[in-house]
């Protein structure tokens, strides 16, 4: 699966160098082309959704996304799989991801 064309992401603010420090980062998805008709405003997204969007700039399987999540976040594989499956379902319903 992969993101459809017309989606970019943006980080406003700064991510901390040390995870225990406060973050001023806010994450956004920005739509263009045909998607702009359905999503005319930039949309605030979570850090994890931003991470998944970055991963889906290239073709990835669900297993590859789960592996990337467990390598980059402190999360159990089962939890990562459930979260990835749920997010991908939402993105497919919105027409943001294609198989």
């Amino acid at each position: 699966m992969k993101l459809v064309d017309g989606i970019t992401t943006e980080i406003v603010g700064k991510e901390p160098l040390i995870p225990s420090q406060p973050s001023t980062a806010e994450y956004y998805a920005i739509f263009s082309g045909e998607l702009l008709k359905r999503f005319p405003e930039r949309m605030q997204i979570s850090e994890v959704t931003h991470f998944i969007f970055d991963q889906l700039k290239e073709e990835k399987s669900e297993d590859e996304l789960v592996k990337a999540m467990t390598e980059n976040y402190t999360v159990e594989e089962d939890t990562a799989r459930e979260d990835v499956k749920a997010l991908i379902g939402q993105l497919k319903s919105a027409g943001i991801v294609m198989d």
Side-chain angles (χ1 to χ4, degrees), residues 2 5 7 19 29 32 56-57 64 70-71 82 86 92:
K2 185 177 176 184
D5 291 335
I7 302 171
S32 61
L56 290 174
K57 288 178 181 175
E64 290 172 314
T70 58
E71 289 175 350
E82 288 174 21
K92 283 183 179 179

Side-chain angles (χ1 to χ4, degrees), residues 48-83:
V48 172
T49 302
H50 179 266
F51 177 79
I52 295 294
F53 275 27
D54 277 351
Q55 293 294 307
L56 290 174
K57 288 178 181 175
E58 297 179 9
E59 184 75 27
K60 299 279 174 142
S61 69
E62 185 176 302
D63 288 337
E64 290 172 314
L65 293 173
V66 170
K67 183 178 180 193
M69 287 286 296
T70 58
E71 289 175 350
N72 288 279
Y73 293 94
T74 306
V75 62
E76 296 292 324
E77 183 177 339
D78 291 343
T79 302
R81 186 167 304 283
E82 288 174 21
D83 291 349

Side-chain angles (χ1 to χ4, degrees), residues 14-25:
K14 295 185 179 182
E15 295 175 313
L17 294 175
I18 302 169
S20 62
Q21 293 181 336
S23 172
T24 63

Side-chain angles (χ1 to χ4, degrees), residues 26-38:
E26 292 181 353
Y27 303 87
Y28 293 92
I30 302 164
F31 303 93
S32 61
E34 288 296 312
L35 288 175
L36 192 58
K37 293 175 186 173
R38 287 188 287 148

